[in-house]
Amino acid sequence: MYTVIKFLHLVSSIVWLGGMTFMLLALRPALGEVLAPSQRLPLLAGVLRRFFLLVWGAIVLLLLSGGYMLGHAGAQAAPIGWHLMAGIGVLMCLVFGHIYFAPYRRLQAAVSVADWPEGGRRANQIAKLVTLNFWLGWLAIAAITFLA
């Protein structure tokens, strides 16, 4: 059972971090090169809607599986890397919640009324916050790798 839980934890983290990697390093730059804001922003909003559904699922699985594994090992007996990863993970969840409920909602609203300057501002805000989560994710991986 523990191995299945650990597998779900890893898959969820790969989905989230991999999606951020794709968005930041491939999708966003390519969209900016070939599409005008009137095409780019609705496409970005649609991609984010689908990706954010995956992230919500990943967050649920990460929190449940991480809590299970930490409890299984005994929180006091768990290595410092586990605690750092858990703390960083909770911070990432909070950052994502802010992304979803603030700039992403504003991006959707801007796209719905074709306010491309506002949509562009919100897309840039999302990109900055996703970049923060991207680096936090790698920090969590470093913590679990080097301090476990």
Side-chain angles (χ1 to χ4, degrees):
M1 180 67 163
Y2 183 87
T3 303
V4 172
I5 300 293
K6 184 176 180 180
F7 175 77
L8 291 174
H9 194 80
L10 290 170
V11 167
S12 298
S13 64
I14 290 167
V15 166
W16 193 1
L17 191 55
M20 289 188 290
T21 302
F22 172 73
M23 185 186 113
L24 292 172
L25 302 178
L27 178 64
R28 191 165 186 268
L31 289 177
E33 290 173 0
V34 299
L35 297 177
S38 61
Q39 297 170 314
R40 177 175 62 241
L41 293 170
L43 178 59
L44 181 62
V47 169
L48 289 176
R49 180 175 48 82
R50 288 169 178 82
F51 175 57
F52 287 172
L53 287 174
L54 293 172
V55 173
W56 280 118
I59 285 173
V60 168
L61 283 173
L62 285 164
L63 292 174
L64 291 174
S65 60
Y68 174 84
M69 290 187 294
L70 193 57
H72 186 267
Q76 292 181 345
I80 186 75
W82 287 30
H83 293 284
L84 288 171
M85 179 180 59
I88 293 166
V90 169
L91 179 58
M92 290 177 69
C93 292
L94 293 171
V95 170
F96 174 74
H98 174 69
I99 292 168
Y100 186 83
F101 291 110
Y104 172 63
R105 295 273 172 101
R106 292 181 186 120
L107 171 64
Q108 290 177 311
V111 166
S112 72
V113 297
D115 184 349
W116 308 129
E118 176 64 11
R121 281 190 293 278
R122 296 312 171 183
N124 287 334
Q125 185 181 17
I126 291 166
K128 288 176 185 173
L129 291 166
V130 169
T131 300
L132 171 63
N133 257 2
F134 174 80
W135 289 113
L136 287 172
W138 284 109
L139 185 60
I141 289 172
I144 198 66
T145 302
F146 297 109
L147 300 172

